Amino acid sequence: MTIPRKLPEGPVNLVGLTRPALLEALIAAGTPEKQGKMRVNQVWQWLYHWGVRDFAKMTNLSKDYRALLADNFVIDLPEIVSKQVSSDGTRKYLVRIAGGHEVEVVYIPETDRGTLCISSQVGCTLTCSFCHTGTQKLVRNLTPGEIVGQVMLARDDLGEWPVPGAPRDETRLLSNVVLMGMGEPLYNFDNVRDAMKIAMDPEGISLSRRRITLSTSGVVPEIARAAEEIGCLLAVSFHATTDEVRDKLVPINKRWNIETLLNTLRDYPRLSNSERITFEYVMLKDVNDSDADARRLVKLISGIPAKINLIPFNEWPGAPYQRSDQDRIKAFADVVYKAGYASPIRTPRGEDIMAACGQLKSATERARKSRKDIAQEAGL
């Protein structure tokens, strides 16, 4: 469901326009049609390859054309309200978008990559009972500009835009993007698709589709569309091996149960030319972490090219669950591994700044409900 929003009046923001939309906007502003394609390429490179925000610095355009752009358009990104840096190097940004709403964005540096976890909605509709974000009501969908703008803001902070005339540096501090922040990406499909098309465009930010992972709780009707129209890697918030448990942990399961979801997932690698699907599994003490659960899990996903990411539960104020013991997690992982599936145990990152998986929630919405209230809402 798309949440309508009133766009601000005034000059059009170029950030977030797809190539066809940018062409249409430039022609409407007075660009001769014969020059349209060339102008799109020029402006696109300044925006997404060089990271330039000032029309006056687009030096391969005539002064008159730069003036036309400045009269009709703006280059606006969401605003970084605050930045926290964890003891492990993880960075969490509180980002303000149009209307004064806020989302959180997390950058996780590793030895061989740098992953940016971005948000697709303000809040979330899914009310997954183990997730802090799920206790914040949905406010609205993010626009394509607000989604790809998170990538651009992080590149600003990392100083990663190339410098004209400088030697080319192939090192990518921000090499991967995961749509695992606030919101369900497939409930904001069109805007997420357009933002990722911009991020993947080879003339700009140029992220490989294999460096982008979209995480869904299981919006079955949109999964095939994601394969065909985005083609990135897919992760599924699975977290349970019976409908009874998953109904409580991931309430969307009541609409599309485990069998329906898995039947849809079996086609995804073929449709998207992806290697495998990642099953995300949060380890909750005495809820979903038994050896029997592990055996059911490998039986359920049999035949699907997959890996299982085991995620130690990251606690938050009022959370109705506890993290599984480390020995229990290792035993679960061992069952999965011996069945032939990769079963990495995710190392929690940024816990000291509430930046870990399932902990994101905009600061203005952190009203602390009691553990009893949250458990009651989750039907526990």
Side-chain angles (χ1 to χ4, degrees):
M1 173 178 155
T2 299
I3 308 299
R5 67 182 293 262
K6 185 176 181 181
L7 293 171
E9 296 180 3
V12 174
N13 186 14
L14 294 183
V15 177
L17 296 183
T18 60
R19 281 183 177 268
L22 179 57
L23 175 63
E24 186 179 327
L26 293 179
I27 291 173
T31 302
E33 286 195 34
K34 289 184 178 179
Q35 296 180 13
K37 186 176 179 181
M38 175 187 70
R39 295 305 190 196
V40 166
N41 289 338
Q42 290 172 323
V43 172
W44 193 274
Q45 283 199 334
W46 283 115
L47 283 177
Y48 301 117
H49 178 73
W50 301 111
V52 166
R53 311 286 155 72
D54 183 352
F55 294 114
K57 294 181 179 178
M58 298 183 178
T59 50
N60 63 344
L61 304 177
S62 70
K63 286 187 177 180
D64 287 346
Y65 194 69
R66 281 180 264 169
L68 179 146
L69 292 175
D71 287 343
N72 290 276
F73 303 106
V74 293
I75 303 170
D76 280 343
L77 297 186
E79 172 195 0
I80 294 180
V81 178
S82 66
K83 178 178 81 170
Q84 293 174 274
V85 181
S86 168
S87 58
D88 64 21
T90 298
R91 305 183 187 195
K92 183 172 77 168
Y93 309 97
L94 179 65
V95 173
R96 183 171 294 139
I97 58 174
H101 306 300
E102 295 168 349
V103 295
E104 290 186 332
V105 185
V106 177
Y107 172 72
I108 305 163
E110 298 177 74
T111 53
D112 60 341
R113 75 186 77 176
T115 300
L116 189 72
C117 178
I118 63 175
S119 296
S120 56
Q121 296 178 310
V122 185
C124 191
T125 58
L126 296 183
T127 63
C128 296
S129 58
F130 58 88
C131 179
H132 198 204
T133 313
T135 66
Q136 176 178 337
K137 294 184 184 302
L138 179 69
V139 177
R140 70 166 172 86
N141 289 334
L142 299 191
T143 66
E146 290 164 345
I147 297 169
V148 77
Q150 296 170 58
V151 179
M152 298 169 76
L153 282 178
R155 295 195 81 188
D156 286 353
D157 189 53
L158 295 167
E160 195 168 25
W161 297 106
V163 178
R168 184 165 181 166
D169 185 357
E170 296 293 345
T171 306
R172 298 292 291 256
L173 295 175
L174 197 169
S175 61
N176 294 59
V177 166
V178 294
L179 286 143
M180 296 182 184
M182 297 168 62
E184 164 56 64
L186 294 187
Y187 275 153
N188 187 16
F189 185 92
D190 291 351
N191 291 343
V192 166
R193 176 200 58 210
D194 290 352
M196 291 304 98
K197 290 291 188 185
I198 292 168
M200 290 187 285
D201 190 290
E203 298 297 317
I205 297 169
S206 190
L207 283 171
S208 162
R209 64 182 183 81
R210 295 185 183 277
R211 294 282 188 171
I212 297 172
T213 302
L214 185 152
S215 176
T216 178
S217 292
V219 185
V220 164
E222 304 294 355
I223 288 175
R225 279 188 73 199
E228 293 165 356
E229 298 181 35
I230 304 174
C232 61
L233 301 182
L234 188 72
V236 179
S237 294
F238 204 63
H239 310 310
T241 60
T242 67
D243 285 324
E244 181 184 7
V245 175
R246 197 166 191 266
D247 283 351
K248 292 179 179 178
L249 298 181
V250 189
I252 196 175
N253 194 71
K254 296 172 187 175
R255 187 166 186 184
W256 297 293
N257 65 12
I258 289 175
E259 182 182 6
T260 304
L261 173 59
L262 290 175
N263 286 341
T264 303
L265 293 177
R266 291 183 195 283
D267 278 336
Y268 191 91
R270 176 181 60 82
L271 293 172
S272 66
N273 196 27
S274 294
E275 294 176 352
R276 56 186 177 178
I277 290 171
T278 297
F279 286 84
E280 297 166 312
Y281 200 94
V282 170
M283 300 298 293
L284 302 170
K285 188 173 184 177
D286 300 328
V287 175
N288 64 353
D289 62 352
S290 68
D291 284 355
D293 281 304
R295 289 191 291 269
R296 273 194 300 269
L297 177 60
V298 295
K299 187 174 180 181
L300 283 168
I301 66 173
S302 178
I304 301 176
K307 75 170 182 177
I308 293 90
N309 261 354
L310 301 179
I311 307 169
F313 175 59
N314 299 304
E315 296 198 22
W316 39 270
Y321 301 106
Q322 293 178 298
R323 177 181 293 182
S324 300
D325 299 332
Q326 193 65 21
D327 287 346
R328 179 89 298 273
I329 297 175
K330 288 179 179 177
F332 191 104
D334 192 49
V335 173
V336 175
Y337 178 75
K338 286 178 178 175
Y341 292 97
S343 55
I345 300 170
R346 185 181 295 176
T347 302
R349 299 291 299 270
E351 285 187 291
D352 55 331
I353 56 171
M354 290 285 286
C357 180
Q359 290 184 324
L360 300 191
K361 188 171 183 182
S362 44
T364 53
E365 299 288 341
R366 288 197 194 278
R368 294 188 176 183
K369 298 180 182 179
S370 71
R371 191 180 297 266
K372 182 180 177 182
D373 289 341
I374 294 167
Q376 190 171 13
E377 285 182 8
L380 301 174

